[in-house]
Amino acid sequence: DRVSRSLTPEQMESLDILARQAVAHFELRRGTRQLIRTVEEHQKVETALRNSEAFYHSLVESIPQNIFRKDLAERFTFANRKFCATLGCSLKEILGKTDFDFFPADLAQKYQRDDKRVLETLETFETVEAHSTPEGEKLFVHVLKTPLYDSTGRVIGIQGMFWDVTERKRTEEALAYERDLLRMLLDNVPDAIYFKNSQSQFLKCSRALVKLFGLSNLEDVVGHTDFDYFDKEHAETAFADEQQIISTGMPIIGKPEKEARPGKEESWVLTTKMPFRNQNGTIIGTFGISKDITELKRAESELVLARDKAVELARLKSEFLANMSHEIRTPMNGIIGMTDLLLDSTLSAEQKDFAEIIRTSACSLLHIINEILEFSKMEAGKLQFEIMDLSPREVVEGTLELLAGSAPGKGLEFGCFIQPKVPRLVRGDPGRLRQILTNLIGNAVKFTQKGQVIVHVALDEETETHVRLGFSVIDTGIGMSKECIPRLFSAFTQEDGSVTRRYGGTGLGLAICRQLVNLMQGEIGVESVVGSGSNFHFTVVLEKALESSLLSETENLLTSRRVLVVAASDLTRKIMTHHLDSWGMEVRVCSSGADAMRCLRESHGSQLPIEMAVMDLDLTDMDGLKLAGLIRGQEEWSVPGMILLAPLGRRLDPGVLKDLKIRSCLSKPVKQARLRSSLVSLLPGAVEPPEMSPSMHDANVLKFSRSWRILVAEDNDVNQQVALRQLKRLGLEPDFASNGQEAVAAFERQPYDVVFMDCQMPELDGFEATRRIRAIESALPESCRPPTPVRIIAMTANTMAQDRQECLKAGMDDYITKPVLLPELERALSRVSASTARCRPGTEPGSDPFQARADEASQSTGSSLQPGLGHDNRSGATGGGVELDLPVVDRAVLDGLRGPGDEESRELFRDLVGLFLKDSGMKLEAIKRAMEEARGTDLIQAAHSLKGSSNNMGLRRLALVSANLEEAAKLGDFTGNATMLDQISKELDLARLSLALENTAT
């Protein structure tokens, strides 16, 4: 404005033009900048749009869902890769086409109906569809469809997606199924089921629990606790249990609980409670189930009463069996005893046959009674087993020898084959094992008229502590049919009625065998063919035992020794070869005397001649005695040592055997130990066998013809007569009492050395009578008391284990069963005779003949012979170690115990040796236990007992170390006991070996 006032109009016009141009230029520049900004913003939008579109396509193409778009004509306008892959087509092949080009008509129509509904309603369509694959598998697809709009909001088609939800659907169905199962369980199970939280509040429960609480709805229980429904004591116990489960995670399983609810009857439940965990494994409560056992508890109470009644009935049955055994065996005692006495008298041939028939029938009846009683004990569960060291070979050979002797007239061959791997010693019950073998071998003998009876023993299985032994008893008898085998081991069963009538028996033997085998953890079975024999086999499990290696040393003496076996029987040759091979001997075998002579002649010309010959008495071309004579007559030969095998029961003249230089004559079936001992005796430097002694009867008369006072308490007149005559045969005159009262009165009048006490007598039984006699002894002043108590020996028909224990508990010293046979009576008196004689009041020690004989034995052995129960044994030697110049066995004492050389005395000696072997093992175990537990009194008693029994057997070294241990224990010195125990174990092994060899040589 200032400028315009000073300018001309022309200048003003030019200036105006210039100003307008300036304004225009400014506007142009501003517009240009705005345009540039607009273009830049547009470019940014386009870039964002492209990026967004790229992101969209990337998302659409990468997500696992199937995505598609359609126009209003139902033609596909877009499909992602997943959809293309699902259809198996490319995008180009899909665009412009409809559902009818890719799906079955029914599905295409359904899809288009769904599309039409979306276009009409403009609402989202969502569903889960089920489909089936060509393989028949069911699939589930989740489908989602919505309208498709353009930028103006106009509907131009539909867009959709779908994806596979088969796994989710299956999970949902499974959950629904589980939920339904739980609900069905909770609604229908009769037991109370419940879930509780950490505060023991109910979360869910079964309808049975709701009903128990007297409610109608399940929801009424939720949130409540046991305190709302049970008395305080039960609720507190339940709460404590549940909190313990929550804190420890340890369940309670099968807990009997008494439930008490106010105003309700008392009930019992069996409760199981478990920790209730969430998906993470965290314990959030408990759940449990309670089963009503009220009726079961009532039944249990009734069963207790019934059991008590059954126990009482079993006791009554046991008493009945014992009484029946007594009542039956008592007259049997008279029958058998009187028959034995009758057979020893002068009879005609016919009378003797009749008496033999009576005795055989009575023994058969007694055998049946024993089987029934044994079976009854098994049924009542009263059968007991002893565990001790046993030799399988000795059990088998002893049983075979015993039963072979019962069938001399049949001419059967007997033998046994025992695998070398079978242990020499095991631990078990030898009596029960022998009982099984006796039944099986006895049946084999009974049902075999000709041929063989063979026993095989093998080691079937072995662990660190036990062995399973397999036994087979094979015969060539009548056999049996397949139909009878399944019922063979049932009680009172035989093959058929005709067999029962022909062979007799109760049919209990095999049933007893089966039960015994089962109790010994084994099995029993049989294979058999009619007319071709049978093979009974069984297994038993036995403990291992500590074996002495000393026996193998005697076998080593026979290694590489050359021996000739001469036998016509193939079985005898096999058995001999089996034994001899096991000892490493070089064996040559011949079947006839001529072959044997030829073999010996050839051997004589060789550098290694035959050193020994084992010959059977019965050969095909000559007998063994003639063969021995031929061998003996060859003076130019180096005559081998000869052993003769003879059938059991065949008696040969000892003078003839001696003249022929036959060192041993062994009865068949030959025991391996006897054969080994006889072969060892043939070795250079061996001791000659002892001479034959007088008869057993003469020895018994010498043994028992003394001023013993014997009392027999027996109420049965016949049994009194049997006892009288049996004792008279032994040179003894007994007194008699008819009941316990008379026995006590008789003992009060005068002392007795031995009392045979019947256990069941009227007025006063044997048990109470024994207790009163022991009381009388105890009440005597010390000066008048005899040094040795009266020996009371029970005589009873009862054979139950508890009967024996009752006898010992009452104060009896020994036990023999009815019917009392003479050998058993002799053995009982032998046990008395080996003890120190009683010094009666008013007599001087040594005035009694029995005492004098004991003194003589004491002088020869250096110790008193006192094997009786509870009697004093004082060793004549003391000192810390074993005197090496003492023999292991004092032969003078042993020969005195062996007695005469007949079979009966030999059997008695073998029984005595077996008894010592068993008892000494038990005493050694008792010593070990007493030492381990530092029980001085028990140690003194065990050592004392072993010392006495060793002295009585002539085992002076063993007696000496036992005496040393006893004296050390009395002085309280236990420092050297371990060394003494080793000495005792060593000496006991030596003693066992020596006695075993003496036993087999007897």
Side-chain angles (χ1 to χ4, degrees):
D1 289 343
R2 286 193 304 270
V3 173
S4 62
R5 284 195 295 268
S6 61
L7 294 178
T8 61
E10 291 82 4
Q11 291 175 326
M12 286 295 296
E13 184 176 358
S14 298
L15 183 60
D16 182 58
I17 294 171
L18 182 59
R20 285 197 297 270
Q21 289 177 346
V23 171
H25 180 70
F26 177 78
E27 290 295 332
L28 178 62
R29 289 187 62 186
R30 188 172 65 177
T32 300
R33 287 197 296 270
Q34 183 67 32
L35 179 60
I36 292 172
R37 284 197 297 269
T38 301
V39 171
E40 290 175 349
E41 289 176 358
H42 181 69
Q43 289 177 343
K44 290 180 180 179
V45 170
E46 286 183 347
T47 300
L49 184 60
R50 283 194 299 270
N51 289 339
S52 176
E53 188 173 340
F55 293 155
Y56 170 75
H57 282 285
S58 176
L59 175 65
V60 167
E61 295 298 340
S62 62
I63 64 176
Q65 282 79 12
N66 298 269
I67 301 175
F68 60 87
R69 289 197 292 270
K70 298 179 183 177
D71 59 17
L72 296 176
E74 297 290 340
R75 294 186 296 266
F76 287 102
T77 60
F78 172 77
N80 69 347
R81 290 196 191 98
K82 177 66 175 176
F83 185 78
C84 294
T86 300
L87 295 184
C89 301
S90 65
L91 181 60
K92 184 183 292 186
E93 292 171 333
I94 294 174
L95 296 180
K97 295 184 179 177
T98 68
D99 291 320
F100 286 95
D101 296 312
F102 304 106
F103 303 104
D106 55 340
L107 285 180
Q109 290 174 359
K110 177 188 181 307
Y111 296 157
Q112 290 193 0
R113 286 196 302 270
D114 296 340
D115 296 343
K116 186 176 180 181
R117 182 189 307 171
V118 172
L119 294 174
E120 290 176 350
T121 62
L122 300 180
E123 294 178 354
T124 300
F125 173 77
E126 187 174 9
T127 186
V128 176
E129 298 175 346
H131 298 279
S132 297
T133 65
E135 293 79 16
E137 184 180 3
K138 195 172 184 180
L139 301 177
F140 293 92
V141 178
H142 194 137
V143 179
L144 183 66
K145 293 181 179 181
T146 60
L148 181 62
Y149 298 92
D150 63 7
S151 58
T152 63
R154 184 169 58 90
V155 176
I156 59 174
I158 65 167
Q159 59 183 355
M161 68 171 61
F162 63 90
W163 60 94
D164 190 329
V165 293
T166 303
E167 289 302 320
R168 191 194 74 189
K169 192 67 176 177
R170 288 175 181 168
T171 302
E172 290 176 352
E173 289 182 348
L175 289 174
Y177 181 69
E178 295 291 338
R179 184 177 61 250
D180 293 340
L181 283 180
L182 177 61
R183 189 68 268 160
M184 185 176 296
L185 178 70
L186 294 177
D187 287 345
N188 296 283
V189 73
D191 300 328
I193 302 175
Y194 43 87
F195 296 83
K196 297 182 179 180
N197 60 19
S198 58
Q199 286 76 42
S200 292
Q201 294 173 320
F202 288 102
L203 300 174
K204 187 181 287 292
C205 66
S206 64
R207 192 170 297 279
L209 186 60
V210 174
K211 184 178 179 181
L212 181 68
F213 291 160
L215 304 174
S216 56
N217 296 319
L218 300 176
E219 292 76 14
D220 294 340
V221 182
V222 176
H224 292 275
T225 67
D226 287 335
F227 290 94
D228 297 315
Y229 304 109
F230 297 99
D231 64 11
K232 182 179 179 182
E233 181 180 358
H234 175 75
E236 288 178 345
T237 302
F239 181 81
D241 288 344
E242 289 159 5
Q243 295 305 308
Q244 181 73 12
I245 292 172
I246 292 171
S247 62
T248 64
M250 298 298 295
I252 294 175
I253 300 176
K255 177 184 178 182
E257 291 183 321
K258 182 171 68 174
E259 290 186 343
R261 291 174 289 121
K264 301 293 182 180
E265 185 178 355
E266 183 178 276
S267 61
W268 284 85
V269 295
L270 193 66
T271 297
T272 294
K273 295 182 178 181
M274 311 287 289
F276 181 23
R277 303 176 186 271
N278 61 14
Q279 293 181 346
N280 298 325
T282 303
I283 297 176
I284 59 174
T286 60
F287 69 93
I289 180 170
S290 296
K291 183 177 183 62
D292 191 305
I293 57 170
T294 304
E295 292 301 322
L296 185 63
K297 273 291 184 180
R298 292 192 185 118
E300 189 178 277
S301 300
E302 294 174 359
L303 281 175
V304 170
L305 295 176
R307 182 201 60 197
D308 293 342
K309 291 181 179 179
V311 169
E312 177 64 16
L313 287 174
R315 186 188 64 79
L316 294 175
K317 176 184 175 183
S318 179
E319 286 185 2
F320 172 76
L321 286 172
N323 290 331
M324 286 301 297
S325 171
H326 176 80
E327 294 300 326
I328 296 174
R329 293 165 75 93
T330 294
M332 290 299 300
N333 181 43
I335 295 171
I336 295 177
M338 294 301 290
T339 306
D340 282 342
L341 296 174
L342 185 62
L343 286 169
D344 284 341
S345 63
T346 303
L347 300 174
S348 66
E350 185 179 30
Q351 289 171 336
K352 190 169 184 178
D353 288 342
F354 290 165
E356 286 285 359
I357 292 172
I358 293 172
R359 192 184 189 286
T360 301
S361 301
C363 289
S364 298
L365 179 58
L366 184 62
H367 176 71
I368 293 172
I369 294 169
N370 289 337
E371 279 196 339
I372 294 174
L373 188 62
E374 186 81 352
F375 187 75
S376 300
K377 285 193 283 187
M378 287 183 176
E379 292 293 308
K382 299 293 185 181
L383 200 65
Q384 295 183 349
F385 282 80
E386 293 182 298
I387 303 299
M388 64 184 71
D389 286 353
L390 68 92
S391 166
R393 177 176 292 278
E394 289 180 5
V395 172
V396 172
E397 290 181 337
T399 306
L400 200 61
E401 181 183 48
L402 177 65
L403 294 173
S406 67
K410 287 191 172 184
L412 298 176
E413 289 190 280
F414 297 88
C416 69
F417 294 91
I418 299 179
Q419 276 189 357
K421 292 184 179 180
V422 173
R424 297 179 186 273
L425 288 178
V426 291
R427 289 184 60 78
D429 191 327
R432 296 303 177 188
L433 182 57
R434 188 177 294 110
Q435 185 176 359
I436 299 170
L437 289 167
T438 299
N439 263 297
L440 298 183
I441 299 174
N443 282 345
V445 172
K446 181 191 298 185
F447 295 110
T448 304
Q449 297 304 314
K450 61 180 180 178
Q452 303 171 344
V453 175
I454 304 172
V455 181
H456 288 266
V457 186
L459 177 64
D460 285 358
E461 188 179 352
E462 182 177 11
T463 67
E464 292 184 359
T465 58
H466 290 76
V467 293
R468 182 184 296 275
L469 299 185
F471 296 79
S472 295
V473 179
I474 305 170
D475 64 65
T476 56
I478 63 174
M480 65 192 80
S481 62
K482 292 182 179 180
E483 291 75 15
C484 81
I485 290 178
R487 63 178 185 274
L488 193 62
F489 295 97
S490 301
F492 309 105
T493 300
Q494 285 190 342
E495 182 176 0
D496 57 44
S498 63
V499 172
T500 303
R501 287 191 295 273
R502 180 180 177 187
Y503 293 99
T506 61
L508 282 175
L510 292 178
I512 292 172
C513 286
R514 178 176 59 84
Q515 293 200 41
L516 288 175
V517 167
N518 290 341
L519 290 171
M520 298 169 79
Q521 304 176 51
E523 297 177 348
I524 189 169
V526 61
E527 285 87 37
S528 183
V529 177
V530 175
S532 299
S534 303
N535 177 3
F536 282 85
H537 49 83
F538 68 94
T539 60
V540 294
V541 176
L542 301 167
E543 296 180 22
K544 286 186 175 180
L546 293 176
E547 295 191 60
S548 170
S549 61
L550 295 174
L551 284 178
S552 62
E553 294 178 5
T554 63
E555 293 172 7
N556 292 338
L557 296 175
L558 300 174
T559 302
S560 300
R561 297 288 182 175
R562 297 169 298 283
V563 61
L564 173 67
V565 175
V566 188
S569 165
D570 181 61
L571 177 61
T572 301
R573 294 196 299 270
K574 287 181 179 179
I575 292 174
M576 291 297 104
T577 304
H578 174 76
H579 291 330
L580 301 174
D581 281 343
S582 69
W583 301 325
M585 302 185 74
E586 297 181 8
V587 187
R588 298 188 66 176
V589 180
C590 295
S591 59
S592 67
D595 289 342
M597 291 298 293
R598 185 165 46 253
C599 181
L600 287 170
R601 192 174 295 111
E602 294 172 356
S603 167
H604 173 67
S606 68
Q607 294 181 349
L608 298 174
I610 291 173
E611 302 170 272
M612 308 172 185
V614 180
M615 305 175 298
D616 199 353
L617 180 63
D618 297 323
L619 301 175
T620 55
D621 54 349
M622 65 183 76
D623 64 23
L625 293 175
K626 183 176 180 180
L627 176 60
L630 292 174
I631 296 172
R632 183 73 182 86
Q634 304 297 322
E635 296 181 357
E636 71 277 10
W637 289 0
S638 175
V639 178
M642 292 182 287
I643 297 173
L644 189 66
L645 308 180
L648 189 66
R650 183 82 65 89
R651 298 294 181 183
L652 300 176
D653 187 347
V656 173
L657 299 177
K658 186 174 182 180
D659 292 341
L660 293 174
K661 299 294 184 180
I662 295 175
R663 292 286 294 272
S664 300
C665 182
L666 304 179
S667 297
K668 296 189 295 184
V670 178
K671 288 186 174 181
Q672 188 190 59
R674 291 179 184 171
L675 178 63
R676 182 182 63 241
S677 177
S678 298
L679 291 170
V680 170
S681 71
L682 298 178
L683 297 175
V687 180
E688 289 284 340
E691 295 289 337
M692 298 293 288
S693 301
S695 69
M696 182 68 175
H697 177 73
D698 294 338
N700 282 335
V701 171
L702 286 174
K703 197 174 195 179
F704 301 131
S705 293
R706 302 183 181 92
S707 57
W708 281 9
R709 293 175 180 170
I710 309 292
L711 175 65
V712 177
E714 170 64 63
D715 63 303
N716 185 281
D717 293 337
V718 176
N719 287 346
Q720 286 186 3
Q721 291 299 316
V722 172
L724 173 63
R725 299 195 181 199
Q726 287 178 330
L727 291 170
K728 275 188 174 183
R729 287 183 60 191
L730 302 176
L732 300 172
E733 289 287 344
D735 295 334
F736 287 93
S738 297
N739 56 56
Q741 291 280 20
E742 293 182 7
V744 175
F747 187 81
E748 288 177 329
R749 288 193 299 270
Q750 65 173 358
Y752 285 93
D753 298 284
V754 181
V755 176
F756 288 100
M757 185 74 73
D758 185 22
C759 292
Q760 294 186 355
M761 292 185 294
E763 298 187 25
L764 191 69
D765 64 26
F767 302 116
E768 183 59 30
T770 299
R771 284 188 281 268
R772 294 189 184 183
I773 289 174
R774 294 303 185 202
I776 292 172
E777 288 181 321
S778 300
L780 288 173
E782 190 70 28
S783 59
C784 298
R785 188 177 301 172
T788 305
V790 61
R791 297 281 293 187
I792 301 178
I793 302 173
M795 291 197 309
T796 176
N798 296 339
T799 58
M800 298 289 190
Q802 60 266 29
D803 299 320
R804 181 178 181 85
Q805 294 300 321
E806 190 172 357
C807 290
L808 297 176
K809 184 178 179 181
M812 299 180 186
D813 300 286
D814 209 341
Y815 180 104
I816 55 178
T817 59
K818 295 179 181 178
V820 179
L821 304 181
L822 186 59
E824 185 178 2
L825 187 63
E826 291 172 346
R827 283 192 287 271
L829 289 171
S830 296
R831 291 190 287 271
V832 175
S833 69
S835 64
T836 301
R838 299 177 64 248
C839 293
R840 301 181 185 87
T843 63
E844 293 297 327
S847 61
D848 186 12
F850 175 49
Q851 181 66 44
R853 186 175 178 87
D855 291 340
E856 291 175 8
S858 177
Q859 293 172 7
S860 65
T861 62
S863 64
S864 299
L865 291 179
Q866 301 176 7
L869 176 66
H871 301 324
D872 185 29
N873 295 300
R874 301 192 184 277
S875 173
T878 59
V882 179
E883 298 177 15
L884 296 180
D885 58 338
L886 285 176
V888 176
V889 179
D890 189 323
R891 295 302 299 269
V893 177
L894 207 61
D895 288 343
L897 293 174
R898 183 182 285 109
D902 62 339
E903 182 61 32
E904 195 169 11
S905 62
R906 289 198 294 268
E907 186 63 32
L908 181 60
F909 178 78
R910 287 194 290 269
D911 289 345
L912 184 61
V913 170
L915 180 63
F916 172 80
L917 293 176
K918 171 186 172 182
D919 183 72
S920 59
M922 297 171 61
K923 291 297 185 296
L924 183 61
E925 291 298 322
I927 289 173
K928 290 179 180 177
R929 288 196 300 271
M931 291 175 62
E932 290 172 356
E933 299 170 12
R935 291 183 281 108
T937 302
D938 293 346
L939 180 59
I940 293 170
Q941 182 179 359
H944 175 84
S945 179
L946 182 58
K947 176 193 71 176
S949 59
S950 301
N951 270 326
N952 294 327
M953 295 299 296
L955 303 171
R956 299 182 63 187
R957 287 166 51 141
L958 179 59
L960 180 59
V961 294
S962 301
N964 291 339
L965 178 60
E966 179 187 5
E967 293 302 321
K970 287 180 179 179
L971 296 174
D973 179 14
F974 295 95
T975 56
N977 280 354
T979 303
M980 291 183 184
L981 180 61
D982 290 339
Q983 291 178 350
I984 289 176
S985 299
K986 179 181 176 181
E987 293 301 325
L988 184 55
D989 284 340
L990 291 171
R992 284 172 172 168
L993 174 61
S994 301
L995 288 177
L997 293 176
E998 292 290 340
N999 205 9
T1000 56
T1002 300

